[in-house]
Amino acid sequence: MPVLQIEHVKKKYGDFTALNDVSLTIEKGEAVAIIGSSGSGKSTLLRCVNNLEKISSGTIKINNETLVQTVENKAVYPPDKEIRRICMKTAMVFQHFNLFPHLTCLENITVAPTHILGKEKTVAQMQAKELLEMVGLTHKADSYPAQLSGGQQQRIAIARALAIEPEIMLFDEPTSALDPEITSEVINVIQRLAQQHMTMLIVTHDMRFAKDSASRVIYMDEGKIVEENVPEKLFANPESLRLQEFLKSIR
Amino acid sequence: MDITYIQTLMPTLWAGTLQTIKLFVLTLLFSLPLGLPFAIGSISRVWPIKILSKTYVWIFRGTPLMLQLFFIYFGLPAFGIKLDRETAAIVTFVLNYAAYFAEIYRAGIQSIDKGQHEAAKTLGFTPWQTMRIIIIPQTIKRIIPPISNEAITLVKDTALVTAIGVAELLKAAKDAVNRDVNITAYFLAAVIYLALTFLLTMLSQKLEQRYSRHEKQEV
Ligand SMILES: Nc1ncnc2c1ncn2[C@@H]1O[C@H](COP(=O)(O)OP(=O)(O)O)[C@@H](O)[C@H]1O
Ligand SMILES: [Mg+2]
């Protein structure tokens, strides 16, 4: 069953086309990595999926519910309340974490379950503690984000995203803001999620991470999906010239 | 200086001080919350609300407080609204200070990183929930210093209401000086104003410490 269906999506910023006829289907349990040079539209794609940006035309379905479709060449969205409900099946992990600095780590994780999902505080806290354990930060429950290292903050951000029980996790360069020697603590958490068959769409610059974690890798350039394949093939035998050059440039 | 003379002055100065404090407290009590809708209005995407809010702020920050006071006390009766001195003073100050606080809130709200709005949105928060639960609590620490500054200015601004004859501290002092041809009362008034602003400064420092606890690094 597909968790995410993207069909012929176009996204324009004024005259500039950031996404040009992108189609992509993600099945339940898949971990898909998106690679590509800076400015190729990777973030824009994620941001369109969880409604941080509105598309210009095309269709996006999340969990078989239509977030947006195109009628007479115009993207049509449902009312805001409906959009929020549909998009809550996705959760985003940002490059710069974007934790809430005025809340403790535990509160960062419980704030959406209590205020948005209407969970009992005690229930939300219990689940948050399980998530903290999963990311190995039980002892930081009562710390504030500013008291944590970057890698720890990103792990809290992952726990916060998981707390809304999404069907698909979106990661936008989750390790790019981290010192190279601590990226592994975040990667380990994401790989554990992959083992648990969490559906994930991961934008990354870390080719080894893509190779090791993804069941499928997508290469984007100039707002288009240029090539996609299982990682073994995509990295060993890139078909398009652009991907060959891209892989050369980052080595 | 003559201690017995000072003692005879104190009751009226003390009554004036109470009036000053009353004006100060009532102004803050009403203008601090009133500033918030104007702040949110001036960043609203609904343009009539935005224009209304911005115009309000522009008028009350762009004209002298004394003029506003005269307008409300002497001018409004021409429109059938007659307020007594004290009410006119409070109304003017509340309207005026709400405009200043609105600007402080607006700047505070807009200083919060866009990523905070985005993170909240992806977690399912409505714009209003985002404001209430995520953004406004973060602005509190940032707006305490400018609000304290305004509060200190307000202590001194209360003296303006002497102009419409409200019996606050400065008026009490002025009456005593005129009556006794002795400026001791002015000195005493200065000491009282200094004491009030000093207390406020201490209070604001305490508040700042309290609200920056989440920024402290672990030791
Ligand atoms: N808000 C925006 N307004 C205008 N152009 C934008 C905006 N956001 C992104 N872009 C442009 O869209 C292109 C794709 O951006 P992005 O998706 O962030 O690329 P990537 O994440 O692959 O580096 C870039 O050329 C960028 O300049
Ligand atoms: Mg990007």
Side-chain angles (χ1 to χ4, degrees), chain B residues 58-172:
Chain B
W58 177 60
I59 288 173
F60 278 94
R61 297 207 325 155
T63 57
L65 178 54
M66 183 88 98
L67 176 68
Q68 293 162 21
L69 190 63
F70 287 167
F71 182 82
I72 284 173
Y73 184 60
F74 299 116
L76 281 189
F79 301 91
I81 304 170
K82 178 124 183 57
L83 304 174
D84 64 56
R85 298 169 205 282
E86 204 187 323
T87 313
I90 291 166
V91 167
T92 310
F93 274 60
V94 167
L95 294 176
N96 179 277
Y97 271 79
Y100 281 90
F101 291 141
E103 265 307 277
I104 292 173
Y105 298 156
R106 185 199 54 74
I109 289 168
Q110 290 188 326
S111 75
I112 303 296
D113 184 62
K114 194 166 110 267
Q116 294 290 306
H117 291 270
E118 292 189 344
K121 189 174 176 187
T122 62
L123 290 171
F125 286 77
T126 65
W128 178 240
Q129 285 173 319
T130 303
M131 206 42 104
R132 190 167 57 81
I133 300 165
I134 305 299
I135 306 301
I136 289 175
Q138 288 185 53
T139 62
I140 288 177
K141 176 180 59 80
R142 299 187 191 191
I143 63 180
I144 287 173
I147 285 188
S148 307
N149 281 339
E150 288 304 328
I152 287 168
T153 305
L154 172 59
V155 171
K156 296 174 284 175
D157 275 353
T158 56
L160 289 177
V161 302
T162 300
I164 60 168
V166 178
E168 44 63 75
L169 177 56
L170 181 64
K171 179 157 191 303

Side-chain angles (χ1 to χ4, degrees), chain A residues 57-211:
Chain A
S57 66
T59 305
I60 299 177
K61 287 185 190 168
I62 298 166
N63 227 19
N64 272 324
E65 293 193 278
T66 305
L67 167 65
V68 50
Q69 62 191 35
T70 296
V71 181
E72 289 168 359
N73 259 324
K74 272 191 66 169
V76 182
Y77 283 83
D80 283 349
K81 200 174 163 198
E82 191 68 1
I83 295 180
R84 272 195 298 278
R85 191 182 61 75
I86 295 170
C87 284
M88 278 200 69
K89 293 284 170 243
T90 73
M92 180 95 142
V93 174
F94 299 87
Q95 181 176 352
H96 296 287
F97 332 132
N98 297 352
L99 289 176
F100 304 130
H102 62 303
L103 303 178
T104 64
C105 292
L106 190 77
E107 290 166 344
N108 263 276
I109 302 171
T110 58
V111 67
T114 51
H115 284 99
I116 313 299
L117 301 177
K119 284 191 184 173
E120 284 289 338
K121 202 170 169 185
T122 48
V123 175
Q125 284 179 342
M126 230 170 57
Q127 290 171 342
K129 281 176 184 160
E130 281 167 25
L131 289 168
L132 280 172
E133 197 177 323
M134 196 219 120
V135 299
L137 289 171
T138 308
H139 58 296
K140 295 293 184 188
D142 298 322
S143 301
Y144 286 95
Q147 298 168 327
L148 270 57
S149 71
Q152 292 172 330
Q153 289 191 44
Q154 193 61 300
R155 282 144 68 197
I156 296 292
I158 293 173
R160 178 180 71 176
L162 289 168
I164 63 168
E165 298 171 6
E167 290 294 323
I168 178 168
M169 289 278 282
L170 310 170
F171 292 86
D172 193 358
E173 301 197 25
T175 60
S176 292
L178 304 176
D179 293 330
E181 64 272 19
I182 58 166
T183 57
S184 63
E185 63 184 67
V186 171
I187 289 175
N188 286 341
V189 169
I190 298 174
Q191 285 178 339
R192 212 167 319 138
L193 289 174
Q195 283 156 16
Q196 295 166 8
H197 305 291
M198 171 55 87
T199 314
M200 297 189 283
L201 187 53
I202 308 162
V203 172
T204 185
H205 277 302
D206 185 337
M207 295 306 137
R208 222 185 54 194
F209 172 40
K211 213 180 280 182

Side-chain angles (χ1 to χ4, degrees), chain A residues 11-14 16-19 34-47 53 95 172-173 203 205 220 222-223, chain B residues 114:
Chain A
K11 168 68 188 171
K12 290 190 163 195
Y13 291 111
F16 178 77
T17 306
L19 293 177
I34 305 180
I35 60 171
S37 52
S38 173
S40 56
K42 308 181 297 296
S43 297
T44 305
L45 183 60
L46 291 196
R47 294 168 61 81
E53 303 286 350
Q95 181 176 352
D172 193 358
E173 301 197 25
V203 172
H205 277 302
M220 282 184 71
E222 293 184 349
Chain B
K114 194 166 110 267

